[in-house]
Amino acid sequence: DAGVTQSPTHLIKTRGQQVTLRCSPISGHKSVSWYQQVLGQGPQFIFQYYEKEERGRGNFPDRFSARQFPNYSSELNVNALLLGDSALYLCASSWGRRLTEAFFGQGTRLTVV
Amino acid sequence: QQQVKQSPQSLIVQKGGISIINCAYENTAFDYFPWYQQFPGKGPALLIAIRPDVSEKKEGRFTISFNKSAKQFSLHIMDSQPGDSATYFCAASYSGGGADGLTFGKGTHLIIQP
């Protein structure tokens, strides 16, 4: 079975641009969460989506938005990119709304120049 | 506010030894405590997890010890091997999901010397 897949794996953007990151959860999983991992730090929670609705949001500005599609895949959008947005963006999927047994993809490395 | 404090930041253990990583949490609403292992260029992989109704959980060479009154939990890696060299993160959450997601510690960079 395929695990959590994220695309693209690497991305370079310029300050002020917009970016869209994509995530496909494990088959059968209905919950997708997004995390930002800055180099040398633990992942920080951005969003959780379950059954296509936002169920939780971390302490991130409104420049960050996300959505979940009927097939449970998800997109994370970041507008007006800042240098500080450079990080590894991780997607995690789990079966239900509960955050137990959350499995991560290998992430998208975003570099803002 | 850092709700999960992890120590040490880095750790060097000889092959065959015991690696011990500690975490402390503040939010008493947390009821799910997983440990993740991350290799360079990869996403975190779930190793083992515990709920506060048990004091210890063992899976192979990995053991979580949990002290609810002290709000602390730790990961023990027995018979540590060079392949265990990675960054380890403790995390905590309210398992019902919602606003805060998984709250991670800052990580421990573990090196197992052959």
Side-chain angles (χ1 to χ4, degrees):
Chain A
D1 284 343
V4 179
T5 57
Q6 293 186 242
S7 63
T9 55
H10 295 84
L11 202 52
I12 299 175
K13 289 286 189 178
T14 304
R15 275 181 301 175
Q17 286 189 315
Q18 175 265 342
V19 67
T20 298
L21 311 180
R22 295 176 176 83
C23 172
S24 293
I26 293 170
S27 178
H29 283 192
K30 299 181 179 180
S31 175
V32 169
S33 300
W34 287 95
Y35 291 79
Q36 181 195 65
Q37 186 177 23
V38 174
L39 197 63
Q41 300 291 318
Q44 274 199 291
F45 174 70
I46 309 174
F47 287 110
Q48 184 197 15
Y49 275 77
Y50 175 70
E51 289 286 13
K52 293 154 287 192
E53 291 189 10
E54 181 181 308
R55 301 292 183 167
R57 183 184 183 116
N59 187 24
F60 280 80
D62 292 344
R63 299 185 295 108
F64 289 77
S65 64
R67 56 179 174 170
Q68 187 177 34
F69 298 98
N71 66 353
Y72 302 108
S73 67
S74 178
E75 287 182 350
L76 175 70
N77 295 281
V78 186
N79 294 321
L81 285 166
L82 304 173
L83 295 179
D85 295 331
S86 296
L88 181 68
Y89 287 85
L90 294 161
C91 172
S93 79
S94 54
W95 181 80
R97 181 181 174 181
R98 300 169 71 85
L99 291 171
T100 55
E101 297 284 318
F103 297 92
F104 284 83
Q106 69 175 39
T108 294
R109 172 69 64 186
L110 172 65
T111 302
V112 182
V113 297
Chain B
Q1 180 185 8
Q2 183 187 357
Q3 296 191 52
V4 178
K5 294 183 179 180
Q6 184 172 346
S7 63
Q9 185 175 349
S10 61
L11 181 63
I12 299 175
V13 175
Q14 295 297 314
K15 179 182 175 181
I18 303 173
S19 304
I20 302 173
I21 305 170
N22 301 298
C23 282
Y25 63 97
E26 300 170 5
N27 188 345
T28 55
F30 288 151
D31 64 353
Y32 175 69
F33 302 89
W35 284 89
Y36 283 85
Q37 177 190 59
Q38 187 175 30
F39 293 104
K42 302 292 186 181
L46 179 63
L47 264 180
I48 186 172
I50 198 168
R51 294 187 180 278
D53 53 346
V54 297
S55 60
E56 186 174 282
K57 182 175 181 180
K58 182 177 181 179
E59 289 184 2
R61 296 186 294 110
F62 300 93
T63 300
I64 299 180
S65 297
F66 188 85
N67 185 331
K68 186 175 181 179
S69 61
K71 293 188 288 185
Q72 295 176 346
F73 58 110
S74 60
L75 175 70
H76 292 62
I77 306 175
M78 312 300 288
D79 187 26
S80 299
Q81 299 297 313
D84 296 329
S85 297
T87 300
Y88 292 80
F89 293 96
C90 62
S93 76
Y94 166 57
S95 60
D100 297 325
L102 283 165
T103 300
F104 284 82
K106 290 189 174 183
T108 296
H109 185 211
L110 174 65
I111 296 173
I112 306 301
Q113 289 187 333

